[in-house]
Amino acid sequence: FQGLNLWRQLPRRPSHHLVMDSAWVLRSPHLDGTHLVVRSLSGAHETNARLVSWAASDVGGPEVVDATLLPADIRAISWDDHDLAAPLRFATCSAGGMHIIDLNYRMHPRRVRAFYKSEFDGELGTGVAWAKGGSSIVLSRGSAVLSVDAETGARQWNFQKYSTERKHSTDVKHSADAKNAPSVASLAMLDANTVVAGWASPRVGDAQESGSICLLDLRVPHGQQQTIGSGPIGVNGLCRSALEPYLLASHTGAPSVGGSSEAAAAAKSEIFIWDVRRFGRPLPGAQAIVPVSSRDEHRSPLTLGSLQRSGGLQWSPTKRDTLLALVADGHGGCVRECRMWQSYADNKAGGEQLRWLGEVNAMCCRSGASSTHDGGGLAAEGAHDIVAAGWGHSSQPGMVLGLRTCGQFVLFEQRVPKMVAWSPGGGGLVGRPWP
């Protein structure tokens, strides 16, 4: 495949019609230096994917090694990180069902190995993940979290947090209740048998976001939930740290579509950190269910522009307590890195309470990267906006691969201030402590 030319073969439309609907930069769990870049455009009837290879030492930068069209309307995608025999296998969700994609499978023009149409009413939701060593796939539909067999698509497990089952076809009240029921906003795997899912309550206008986050055990029929947070919390973008598997992150979302344009333009996201060890276990210091605080003296919430709902928050695979934040507001997209640390403060009851402090920094754009790697030439509004980004591998610590709306790749590097330096007089080291 001619990776750079394939995208140019798509029908040309006026730039205002080619608006980015969703995009991902996925880091391979098997192949060092390999990423999958996926994007979907309104006005086009396909989803476009490129397999990209790059290393921090490469002078030429990222290289497209494969390109293909995927099924349309992909809403969620997950790389199979269990099966070494199928290193390029993915699960994707669209409105009509779930696809198993294998980039090594050339018998299908979209590399589709299997398609499973859901037996439930309604459209598939915002999350998909591999579970049980790659034998199962977890996904969401409405307010339900499901598990299906990866080989046959048969349902294995179902958790319905809020009942929306219709008892009578003319039950108008039930129809309204189902419409107003909380729905799954995001999900992730905590381990091979434990799902963490966030439910968002419907919002009216500029009302404050609220919801709940629960842990679900796939080994228990119909699920066994443990609530780790509820109320005015962030339930979007749930992700787990690979270096500290007990840490989860989530963020608040943007105002609803029915909100005012002024509120949408000024939308801010707050970040929440969840230590699952502190729920149901006797660890010192209760975790305060509050967003990450800034380092100012007032400890006000750390706010960012509106984070993208797909991949807007990612834990660093090489540096502890570090998040990648992809901000997408009304003025364009940009990449930020958030460094965090724990702080204990006295609460009103006289005990200690754990809180998280954070610091946000802009990531440094690597010189020349954004102008030399043309990723497809599709014209769109805001050609310099970053619409997707993902961390590099351990061989590229602190590096991020980004995608612009015009299809260009751009490399970012984490700004790391010097914490230790040689003493001016020699013979010793001077360290700068964390605030």
Side-chain angles (χ1 to χ4, degrees), residues 20-26 38 40 74-77 93 125-127 185-186 236-239 251 306-314 324-328 386-390:
M20 187 71 64
D21 286 340
S22 55
W24 299 266
V25 174
L26 304 178
V38 180
S40 176
I74 289 181
R75 301 185 175 186
I77 183 170
C93 283
T126 55
S186 62
N236 296 289
L238 276 168
C239 56
H251 64 85
S306 178
L307 291 173
Q308 288 195 172
R309 292 182 181 271
S310 300
L313 206 60
Q314 303 172 34
L324 169 69
L326 182 57
V327 180
I386 304 299
V387 294

PDB file of all heavy atoms in Angstrom, residues 20-26 38 40 74-77 93 125-127 185-186 236-239 251 306-314 324-328 386-390:
ATOM      1  N   MET A  20     -13.191  16.618  11.614  1.00  0.00           N
ATOM      2  CA  MET A  20     -12.777  15.430  12.338  1.00  0.00           C
ATOM      3  C   MET A  20     -13.846  15.004  13.336  1.00  0.00           C
ATOM      4  O   MET A  20     -14.269  15.786  14.179  1.00  0.00           O
ATOM      5  CB  MET A  20     -11.467  15.724  13.081  1.00  0.00           C
ATOM      6  CG  MET A  20     -10.851  14.521  13.724  1.00  0.00           C
ATOM      7  SD  MET A  20     -10.165  13.377  12.527  1.00  0.00           S
ATOM      8  CE  MET A  20      -8.872  14.375  11.816  1.00  0.00           C
ATOM      9  N   ASP A  21     -14.336  13.792  13.192  1.00  0.00           N
ATOM     10  CA  ASP A  21     -15.301  13.261  14.146  1.00  0.00           C
ATOM     11  C   ASP A  21     -14.585  12.614  15.328  1.00  0.00           C
ATOM     12  O   ASP A  21     -14.920  12.854  16.474  1.00  0.00           O
ATOM     13  CB  ASP A  21     -16.197  12.237  13.456  1.00  0.00           C
ATOM     14  CG  ASP A  21     -17.213  12.904  12.536  1.00  0.00           C
ATOM     15  OD1 ASP A  21     -17.477  14.096  12.714  1.00  0.00           O
ATOM     16  OD2 ASP A  21     -17.723  12.216  11.651  1.00  0.00           O
ATOM     17  N   SER A  22     -13.612  11.753  15.051  1.00  0.00           N
ATOM     18  CA  SER A  22     -12.860  11.090  16.107  1.00  0.00           C
ATOM     19  C   SER A  22     -11.528  10.632  15.546  1.00  0.00           C
ATOM     20  O   SER A  22     -11.395  10.388  14.344  1.00  0.00           O
ATOM     21  CB  SER A  22     -13.654   9.898  16.667  1.00  0.00           C
ATOM     22  OG  SER A  22     -14.025   9.005  15.625  1.00  0.00           O
ATOM     23  N   ALA A  23     -10.546  10.521  16.417  1.00  0.00           N
ATOM     24  CA  ALA A  23      -9.213  10.102  15.991  1.00  0.00           C
ATOM     25  C   ALA A  23      -8.486   9.493  17.177  1.00  0.00           C
ATOM     26  O   ALA A  23      -8.731   9.858  18.333  1.00  0.00           O
ATOM     27  CB  ALA A  23      -8.427  11.287  15.418  1.00  0.00           C
ATOM     28  N   TRP A  24      -7.599   8.549  16.877  1.00  0.00           N
ATOM     29  CA  TRP A  24      -6.808   7.880  17.904  1.00  0.00           C
ATOM     30  C   TRP A  24      -5.370   7.691  17.420  1.00  0.00           C
ATOM     31  O   TRP A  24      -5.132   7.489  16.226  1.00  0.00           O
ATOM     32  CB  TRP A  24      -7.367   6.489  18.221  1.00  0.00           C
ATOM     33  CG  TRP A  24      -8.759   6.442  18.755  1.00  0.00           C
ATOM     34  CD1 TRP A  24      -9.145   6.416  20.061  1.00  0.00           C
ATOM     35  CD2 TRP A  24      -9.972   6.383  17.996  1.00  0.00           C
ATOM     36  NE1 TRP A  24     -10.508   6.363  20.168  1.00  0.00           N
ATOM     37  CE2 TRP A  24     -11.057   6.342  18.901  1.00  0.00           C
ATOM     38  CE3 TRP A  24     -10.252   6.372  16.632  1.00  0.00           C
ATOM     39  CZ2 TRP A  24     -12.384   6.277  18.500  1.00  0.00           C
ATOM     40  CZ3 TRP A  24     -11.574   6.319  16.217  1.00  0.00           C
ATOM     41  CH2 TRP A  24     -12.613   6.275  17.143  1.00  0.00           C
ATOM     42  N   VAL A  25      -4.434   7.743  18.349  1.00  0.00           N
ATOM     43  CA  VAL A  25      -3.054   7.297  18.124  1.00  0.00           C
ATOM     44  C   VAL A  25      -2.788   6.228  19.177  1.00  0.00           C
ATOM     45  O   VAL A  25      -2.644   6.526  20.369  1.00  0.00           O
ATOM     46  CB  VAL A  25      -2.047   8.456  18.247  1.00  0.00           C
ATOM     47  CG1 VAL A  25      -0.614   7.924  18.142  1.00  0.00           C
ATOM     48  CG2 VAL A  25      -2.288   9.494  17.164  1.00  0.00           C
ATOM     49  N   LEU A  26      -2.767   4.957  18.748  1.00  0.00           N
ATOM     50  CA  LEU A  26      -2.649   3.822  19.653  1.00  0.00           C
ATOM     51  C   LEU A  26      -1.227   3.276  19.623  1.00  0.00           C
ATOM     52  O   LEU A  26      -0.678   3.019  18.551  1.00  0.00           O
ATOM     53  CB  LEU A  26      -3.630   2.707  19.264  1.00  0.00           C
ATOM     54  CG  LEU A  26      -5.112   3.088  19.190  1.00  0.00           C
ATOM     55  CD1 LEU A  26      -5.926   1.882  18.751  1.00  0.00           C
ATOM     56  CD2 LEU A  26      -5.601   3.621  20.522  1.00  0.00           C
ATOM     57  N   VAL A  38      -5.699   6.261  13.606  1.00  0.00           N
ATOM     58  CA  VAL A  38      -7.042   6.052  13.064  1.00  0.00           C
ATOM     59  C   VAL A  38      -7.781   7.378  13.112  1.00  0.00           C
ATOM     60  O   VAL A  38      -7.718   8.100  14.104  1.00  0.00           O
ATOM     61  CB  VAL A  38      -7.814   4.993  13.880  1.00  0.00           C
ATOM     62  CG1 VAL A  38      -9.206   4.787  13.311  1.00  0.00           C
ATOM     63  CG2 VAL A  38      -7.046   3.682  13.908  1.00  0.00           C
ATOM     64  N   SER A  40     -11.612   9.395  11.600  1.00  0.00           N
ATOM     65  CA  SER A  40     -12.889   9.343  10.902  1.00  0.00           C
ATOM     66  C   SER A  40     -13.331  10.758  10.605  1.00  0.00           C
ATOM     67  O   SER A  40     -13.248  11.638  11.462  1.00  0.00           O
ATOM     68  CB  SER A  40     -13.934   8.633  11.769  1.00  0.00           C
ATOM     69  OG  SER A  40     -15.193   8.647  11.164  1.00  0.00           O
ATOM     70  N   ILE A  74     -16.576   4.275  13.429  1.00  0.00           N
ATOM     71  CA  ILE A  74     -15.949   3.666  14.609  1.00  0.00           C
ATOM     72  C   ILE A  74     -16.044   4.633  15.771  1.00  0.00           C
ATOM     73  O   ILE A  74     -15.657   5.799  15.670  1.00  0.00           O
ATOM     74  CB  ILE A  74     -14.485   3.295  14.309  1.00  0.00           C
ATOM     75  CG1 ILE A  74     -14.434   2.108  13.347  1.00  0.00           C
ATOM     76  CG2 ILE A  74     -13.742   2.969  15.600  1.00  0.00           C
ATOM     77  CD1 ILE A  74     -13.036   1.650  13.007  1.00  0.00           C
ATOM     78  N   ARG A  75     -16.550   4.142  16.884  1.00  0.00           N
ATOM     79  CA  ARG A  75     -16.723   4.974  18.073  1.00  0.00           C
ATOM     80  C   ARG A  75     -15.737   4.627  19.180  1.00  0.00           C
ATOM     81  O   ARG A  75     -15.505   5.442  20.073  1.00  0.00           O
ATOM     82  CB  ARG A  75     -18.150   4.826  18.601  1.00  0.00           C
ATOM     83  CG  ARG A  75     -19.194   5.232  17.572  1.00  0.00           C
ATOM     84  CD  ARG A  75     -20.585   5.193  18.129  1.00  0.00           C
ATOM     85  NE  ARG A  75     -21.557   5.691  17.170  1.00  0.00           N
ATOM     86  CZ  ARG A  75     -22.837   5.868  17.448  1.00  0.00           C
ATOM     87  NH1 ARG A  75     -23.300   5.572  18.650  1.00  0.00           N
ATOM     88  NH2 ARG A  75     -23.662   6.328  16.514  1.00  0.00           N
ATOM     89  N   ALA A  76     -15.202   3.431  19.138  1.00  0.00           N
ATOM     90  CA  ALA A  76     -14.219   3.018  20.139  1.00  0.00           C
ATOM     91  C   ALA A  76     -13.349   1.942  19.513  1.00  0.00           C
ATOM     92  O   ALA A  76     -13.802   1.167  18.666  1.00  0.00           O
ATOM     93  CB  ALA A  76     -14.904   2.497  21.403  1.00  0.00           C
ATOM     94  N   ILE A  77     -12.082   1.886  19.921  1.00  0.00           N
ATOM     95  CA  ILE A  77     -11.149   0.908  19.384  1.00  0.00           C
ATOM     96  C   ILE A  77     -10.184   0.485  20.477  1.00  0.00           C
ATOM     97  O   ILE A  77      -9.823   1.286  21.337  1.00  0.00           O
ATOM     98  CB  ILE A  77     -10.389   1.491  18.162  1.00  0.00           C
ATOM     99  CG1 ILE A  77      -9.462   0.436  17.548  1.00  0.00           C
ATOM    100  CG2 ILE A  77      -9.636   2.749  18.538  1.00  0.00           C
ATOM    101  CD1 ILE A  77      -8.872   0.865  16.207  1.00  0.00           C
ATOM    102  N   CYS A  93     -15.898  -0.758  17.879  1.00  0.00           N
ATOM    103  CA  CYS A  93     -17.346  -0.655  18.038  1.00  0.00           C
ATOM    104  C   CYS A  93     -17.880   0.450  17.144  1.00  0.00           C
ATOM    105  O   CYS A  93     -17.295   1.536  17.061  1.00  0.00           O
ATOM    106  CB  CYS A  93     -17.711  -0.342  19.492  1.00  0.00           C
ATOM    107  SG  CYS A  93     -17.610  -1.756  20.589  1.00  0.00           S
ATOM    108  N   GLY A 125     -21.870   1.836  22.696  1.00  0.00           N
ATOM    109  CA  GLY A 125     -21.464   3.084  23.327  1.00  0.00           C
ATOM    110  C   GLY A 125     -20.022   3.481  23.127  1.00  0.00           C
ATOM    111  O   GLY A 125     -19.456   3.334  22.042  1.00  0.00           O
ATOM    112  N   THR A 126     -19.415   3.949  24.200  1.00  0.00           N
ATOM    113  CA  THR A 126     -18.163   4.684  24.094  1.00  0.00           C
ATOM    114  C   THR A 126     -16.935   3.890  24.512  1.00  0.00           C
ATOM    115  O   THR A 126     -15.857   4.465  24.586  1.00  0.00           O
ATOM    116  CB  THR A 126     -18.241   5.936  24.968  1.00  0.00           C
ATOM    117  OG1 THR A 126     -18.576   5.544  26.317  1.00  0.00           O
ATOM    118  CG2 THR A 126     -19.293   6.884  24.459  1.00  0.00           C
ATOM    119  N   GLY A 127     -17.051   2.609  24.793  1.00  0.00           N
ATOM    120  CA  GLY A 127     -15.884   1.886  25.263  1.00  0.00           C
ATOM    121  C   GLY A 127     -15.819   0.466  24.757  1.00  0.00           C
ATOM    122  O   GLY A 127     -16.843  -0.177  24.509  1.00  0.00           O
ATOM    123  N   ALA A 185     -20.184   6.335  30.077  1.00  0.00           N
ATOM    124  CA  ALA A 185     -19.390   7.370  29.418  1.00  0.00           C
ATOM    125  C   ALA A 185     -18.021   6.867  29.009  1.00  0.00           C
ATOM    126  O   ALA A 185     -17.461   7.313  28.005  1.00  0.00           O
ATOM    127  CB  ALA A 185     -19.241   8.580  30.340  1.00  0.00           C
ATOM    128  N   SER A 186     -17.444   5.930  29.772  1.00  0.00           N
ATOM    129  CA  SER A 186     -16.139   5.369  29.449  1.00  0.00           C
ATOM    130  C   SER A 186     -15.934   4.118  30.277  1.00  0.00           C
ATOM    131  O   SER A 186     -16.604   3.897  31.300  1.00  0.00           O
ATOM    132  CB  SER A 186     -15.015   6.374  29.728  1.00  0.00           C
ATOM    133  OG  SER A 186     -14.956   6.712  31.106  1.00  0.00           O
ATOM    134  N   ASN A 236     -15.467  10.659  32.387  1.00  0.00           N
ATOM    135  CA  ASN A 236     -15.007  10.472  31.012  1.00  0.00           C
ATOM    136  C   ASN A 236     -13.529  10.089  30.975  1.00  0.00           C
ATOM    137  O   ASN A 236     -12.765  10.417  31.882  1.00  0.00           O
ATOM    138  CB  ASN A 236     -15.211  11.762  30.203  1.00  0.00           C
ATOM    139  CG  ASN A 236     -16.663  12.138  30.068  1.00  0.00           C
ATOM    140  OD1 ASN A 236     -17.424  11.487  29.363  1.00  0.00           O
ATOM    141  ND2 ASN A 236     -17.068  13.191  30.777  1.00  0.00           N
ATOM    142  N   GLY A 237     -13.137   9.398  29.903  1.00  0.00           N
ATOM    143  CA  GLY A 237     -11.724   9.123  29.660  1.00  0.00           C
ATOM    144  C   GLY A 237     -11.056   8.223  30.664  1.00  0.00           C
ATOM    145  O   GLY A 237      -9.842   8.356  30.891  1.00  0.00           O
ATOM    146  N   LEU A 238     -11.766   7.295  31.279  1.00  0.00           N
ATOM    147  CA  LEU A 238     -11.151   6.417  32.274  1.00  0.00           C
ATOM    148  C   LEU A 238      -9.955   5.676  31.682  1.00  0.00           C
ATOM    149  O   LEU A 238     -10.038   5.092  30.599  1.00  0.00           O
ATOM    150  CB  LEU A 238     -12.176   5.399  32.797  1.00  0.00           C
ATOM    151  CG  LEU A 238     -13.082   5.866  33.935  1.00  0.00           C
ATOM    152  CD1 LEU A 238     -14.222   4.881  34.133  1.00  0.00           C
ATOM    153  CD2 LEU A 238     -12.288   6.034  35.229  1.00  0.00           C
ATOM    154  N   CYS A 239      -8.827   5.704  32.392  1.00  0.00           N
ATOM    155  CA  CYS A 239      -7.628   5.002  31.948  1.00  0.00           C
ATOM    156  C   CYS A 239      -6.829   4.559  33.161  1.00  0.00           C
ATOM    157  O   CYS A 239      -6.882   5.182  34.221  1.00  0.00           O
ATOM    158  CB  CYS A 239      -6.783   5.884  31.025  1.00  0.00           C
ATOM    159  SG  CYS A 239      -6.309   7.478  31.722  1.00  0.00           S
ATOM    160  N   HIS A 251     -11.772  12.389  33.739  1.00  0.00           N
ATOM    161  CA  HIS A 251     -11.919  13.836  33.648  1.00  0.00           C
ATOM    162  C   HIS A 251     -13.368  14.200  33.411  1.00  0.00           C
ATOM    163  O   HIS A 251     -14.175  13.381  32.957  1.00  0.00           O
ATOM    164  CB  HIS A 251     -11.030  14.409  32.525  1.00  0.00           C
ATOM    165  CG  HIS A 251     -11.407  13.948  31.148  1.00  0.00           C
ATOM    166  ND1 HIS A 251     -12.390  14.550  30.376  1.00  0.00           N
ATOM    167  CD2 HIS A 251     -10.921  12.929  30.386  1.00  0.00           C
ATOM    168  CE1 HIS A 251     -12.487  13.947  29.224  1.00  0.00           C
ATOM    169  NE2 HIS A 251     -11.617  12.948  29.188  1.00  0.00           N
ATOM    170  N   SER A 306     -11.310  21.915  27.295  1.00  0.00           N
ATOM    171  CA  SER A 306     -12.122  20.712  27.151  1.00  0.00           C
ATOM    172  C   SER A 306     -11.296  19.571  26.578  1.00  0.00           C
ATOM    173  O   SER A 306     -10.739  19.666  25.481  1.00  0.00           O
ATOM    174  CB  SER A 306     -13.310  21.008  26.220  1.00  0.00           C
ATOM    175  OG  SER A 306     -14.078  19.840  26.022  1.00  0.00           O
ATOM    176  N   LEU A 307     -11.188  18.470  27.331  1.00  0.00           N
ATOM    177  CA  LEU A 307     -10.417  17.316  26.882  1.00  0.00           C
ATOM    178  C   LEU A 307     -11.231  16.485  25.900  1.00  0.00           C
ATOM    179  O   LEU A 307     -12.439  16.325  26.055  1.00  0.00           O
ATOM    180  CB  LEU A 307     -10.017  16.437  28.070  1.00  0.00           C
ATOM    181  CG  LEU A 307      -8.985  17.027  29.023  1.00  0.00           C
ATOM    182  CD1 LEU A 307      -8.807  16.123  30.229  1.00  0.00           C
ATOM    183  CD2 LEU A 307      -7.660  17.224  28.333  1.00  0.00           C
ATOM    184  N   GLN A 308     -10.553  15.943  24.889  1.00  0.00           N
ATOM    185  CA  GLN A 308     -11.232  15.072  23.945  1.00  0.00           C
ATOM    186  C   GLN A 308     -11.721  13.830  24.669  1.00  0.00           C
ATOM    187  O   GLN A 308     -11.030  13.259  25.521  1.00  0.00           O
ATOM    188  CB  GLN A 308     -10.284  14.683  22.804  1.00  0.00           C
ATOM    189  CG  GLN A 308      -9.993  15.814  21.856  1.00  0.00           C
ATOM    190  CD  GLN A 308      -9.373  15.333  20.559  1.00  0.00           C
ATOM    191  OE1 GLN A 308      -9.213  16.105  19.640  1.00  0.00           O
ATOM    192  NE2 GLN A 308      -9.032  14.079  20.482  1.00  0.00           N
ATOM    193  N   ARG A 309     -12.916  13.370  24.294  1.00  0.00           N
ATOM    194  CA  ARG A 309     -13.490  12.213  24.972  1.00  0.00           C
ATOM    195  C   ARG A 309     -12.803  10.919  24.566  1.00  0.00           C
ATOM    196  O   ARG A 309     -12.803   9.953  25.306  1.00  0.00           O
ATOM    197  CB  ARG A 309     -14.991  12.134  24.667  1.00  0.00           C
ATOM    198  CG  ARG A 309     -15.780  13.274  25.302  1.00  0.00           C
ATOM    199  CD  ARG A 309     -17.262  13.139  25.036  1.00  0.00           C
ATOM    200  NE  ARG A 309     -18.009  14.241  25.618  1.00  0.00           N
ATOM    201  CZ  ARG A 309     -18.489  14.252  26.853  1.00  0.00           C
ATOM    202  NH1 ARG A 309     -18.293  13.209  27.622  1.00  0.00           N
ATOM    203  NH2 ARG A 309     -19.161  15.280  27.311  1.00  0.00           N
ATOM    204  N   SER A 310     -12.207  10.872  23.367  1.00  0.00           N
ATOM    205  CA  SER A 310     -11.506   9.674  22.911  1.00  0.00           C
ATOM    206  C   SER A 310     -10.006   9.895  23.027  1.00  0.00           C
ATOM    207  O   SER A 310      -9.413  10.653  22.269  1.00  0.00           O
ATOM    208  CB  SER A 310     -11.861   9.353  21.452  1.00  0.00           C
ATOM    209  OG  SER A 310     -13.236   9.136  21.298  1.00  0.00           O
ATOM    210  N   GLY A 311      -9.390   9.244  24.013  1.00  0.00           N
ATOM    211  CA  GLY A 311      -7.952   9.358  24.178  1.00  0.00           C
ATOM    212  C   GLY A 311      -7.491  10.712  24.665  1.00  0.00           C
ATOM    213  O   GLY A 311      -6.318  11.065  24.469  1.00  0.00           O
ATOM    214  N   GLY A 312      -8.368  11.479  25.303  1.00  0.00           N
ATOM    215  CA  GLY A 312      -7.981  12.796  25.776  1.00  0.00           C
ATOM    216  C   GLY A 312      -7.081  12.775  26.983  1.00  0.00           C
ATOM    217  O   GLY A 312      -6.459  13.779  27.314  1.00  0.00           O
ATOM    218  N   LEU A 313      -6.994  11.630  27.666  1.00  0.00           N
ATOM    219  CA  LEU A 313      -6.186  11.501  28.872  1.00  0.00           C
ATOM    220  C   LEU A 313      -5.481  10.152  28.822  1.00  0.00           C
ATOM    221  O   LEU A 313      -6.122   9.114  28.626  1.00  0.00           O
ATOM    222  CB  LEU A 313      -7.087  11.594  30.104  1.00  0.00           C
ATOM    223  CG  LEU A 313      -6.472  12.082  31.424  1.00  0.00           C
ATOM    224  CD1 LEU A 313      -5.911  13.485  31.273  1.00  0.00           C
ATOM    225  CD2 LEU A 313      -7.501  12.043  32.535  1.00  0.00           C
ATOM    226  N   GLN A 314      -4.152  10.147  28.972  1.00  0.00           N
ATOM    227  CA  GLN A 314      -3.377   8.907  28.890  1.00  0.00           C
ATOM    228  C   GLN A 314      -2.238   8.946  29.901  1.00  0.00           C
ATOM    229  O   GLN A 314      -1.509   9.938  29.992  1.00  0.00           O
ATOM    230  CB  GLN A 314      -2.787   8.712  27.485  1.00  0.00           C
ATOM    231  CG  GLN A 314      -3.784   8.705  26.351  1.00  0.00           C
ATOM    232  CD  GLN A 314      -3.095   8.692  25.006  1.00  0.00           C
ATOM    233  OE1 GLN A 314      -2.025   8.101  24.827  1.00  0.00           O
ATOM    234  NE2 GLN A 314      -3.697   9.345  24.021  1.00  0.00           N
ATOM    235  N   LEU A 324      -0.750  12.478  29.830  1.00  0.00           N
ATOM    236  CA  LEU A 324      -0.840  13.237  28.593  1.00  0.00           C
ATOM    237  C   LEU A 324      -2.272  13.729  28.469  1.00  0.00           C
ATOM    238  O   LEU A 324      -3.225  12.952  28.587  1.00  0.00           O
ATOM    239  CB  LEU A 324      -0.479  12.361  27.393  1.00  0.00           C
ATOM    240  CG  LEU A 324      -0.767  12.932  26.005  1.00  0.00           C
ATOM    241  CD1 LEU A 324       0.160  14.103  25.718  1.00  0.00           C
ATOM    242  CD2 LEU A 324      -0.618  11.855  24.937  1.00  0.00           C
ATOM    243  N   ALA A 325      -2.438  15.023  28.235  1.00  0.00           N
ATOM    244  CA  ALA A 325      -3.769  15.612  28.098  1.00  0.00           C
ATOM    245  C   ALA A 325      -3.878  16.248  26.722  1.00  0.00           C
ATOM    246  O   ALA A 325      -3.080  17.127  26.380  1.00  0.00           O
ATOM    247  CB  ALA A 325      -4.017  16.653  29.183  1.00  0.00           C
ATOM    248  N   LEU A 326      -4.843  15.791  25.938  1.00  0.00           N
ATOM    249  CA  LEU A 326      -5.093  16.352  24.611  1.00  0.00           C
ATOM    250  C   LEU A 326      -6.287  17.286  24.717  1.00  0.00           C
ATOM    251  O   LEU A 326      -7.423  16.852  24.880  1.00  0.00           O
ATOM    252  CB  LEU A 326      -5.359  15.245  23.596  1.00  0.00           C
ATOM    253  CG  LEU A 326      -5.602  15.688  22.155  1.00  0.00           C
ATOM    254  CD1 LEU A 326      -4.425  16.505  21.640  1.00  0.00           C
ATOM    255  CD2 LEU A 326      -5.830  14.485  21.258  1.00  0.00           C
ATOM    256  N   VAL A 327      -6.006  18.570  24.659  1.00  0.00           N
ATOM    257  CA  VAL A 327      -7.021  19.595  24.864  1.00  0.00           C
ATOM    258  C   VAL A 327      -7.600  19.994  23.519  1.00  0.00           C
ATOM    259  O   VAL A 327      -6.871  20.298  22.578  1.00  0.00           O
ATOM    260  CB  VAL A 327      -6.416  20.823  25.577  1.00  0.00           C
ATOM    261  CG1 VAL A 327      -7.476  21.893  25.791  1.00  0.00           C
ATOM    262  CG2 VAL A 327      -5.798  20.409  26.905  1.00  0.00           C
ATOM    263  N   ALA A 328      -8.907  19.961  23.406  1.00  0.00           N
ATOM    264  CA  ALA A 328      -9.592  20.346  22.169  1.00  0.00           C
ATOM    265  C   ALA A 328     -10.687  21.343  22.524  1.00  0.00           C
ATOM    266  O   ALA A 328     -11.771  20.954  22.942  1.00  0.00           O
ATOM    267  CB  ALA A 328     -10.185  19.132  21.468  1.00  0.00           C
ATOM    268  N   ILE A 386      -4.082  19.828  16.710  1.00  0.00           N
ATOM    269  CA  ILE A 386      -3.743  18.445  17.051  1.00  0.00           C
ATOM    270  C   ILE A 386      -5.051  17.734  17.395  1.00  0.00           C
ATOM    271  O   ILE A 386      -5.769  18.154  18.305  1.00  0.00           O
ATOM    272  CB  ILE A 386      -2.763  18.378  18.228  1.00  0.00           C
ATOM    273  CG1 ILE A 386      -1.513  19.200  17.924  1.00  0.00           C
ATOM    274  CG2 ILE A 386      -2.396  16.928  18.528  1.00  0.00           C
ATOM    275  CD1 ILE A 386      -0.750  18.717  16.707  1.00  0.00           C
ATOM    276  N   VAL A 387      -5.358  16.672  16.667  1.00  0.00           N
ATOM    277  CA  VAL A 387      -6.630  15.986  16.860  1.00  0.00           C
ATOM    278  C   VAL A 387      -6.463  14.617  17.511  1.00  0.00           C
ATOM    279  O   VAL A 387      -7.447  14.011  17.931  1.00  0.00           O
ATOM    280  CB  VAL A 387      -7.375  15.825  15.519  1.00  0.00           C
ATOM    281  CG1 VAL A 387      -7.786  17.183  14.979  1.00  0.00           C
ATOM    282  CG2 VAL A 387      -6.518  15.093  14.502  1.00  0.00           C
ATOM    283  N   ALA A 388      -5.231  14.116  17.594  1.00  0.00           N
ATOM    284  CA  ALA A 388      -4.972  12.839  18.264  1.00  0.00           C
ATOM    285  C   ALA A 388      -3.503  12.808  18.652  1.00  0.00           C
ATOM    286  O   ALA A 388      -2.658  13.400  17.981  1.00  0.00           O
ATOM    287  CB  ALA A 388      -5.310  11.657  17.358  1.00  0.00           C
ATOM    288  N   ALA A 389      -3.212  12.106  19.739  1.00  0.00           N
ATOM    289  CA  ALA A 389      -1.831  12.002  20.208  1.00  0.00           C
ATOM    290  C   ALA A 389      -1.698  10.767  21.077  1.00  0.00           C
ATOM    291  O   ALA A 389      -2.669  10.296  21.677  1.00  0.00           O
ATOM    292  CB  ALA A 389      -1.416  13.259  20.989  1.00  0.00           C
ATOM    293  N   GLY A 390      -0.480  10.238  21.133  1.00  0.00           N
ATOM    294  CA  GLY A 390      -0.225   9.061  21.960  1.00  0.00           C
ATOM    295  C   GLY A 390       1.232   9.005  22.375  1.00  0.00           C
ATOM    296  O   GLY A 390       2.134   9.429  21.641  1.00  0.00           O
TER     297      GLY A 390
END
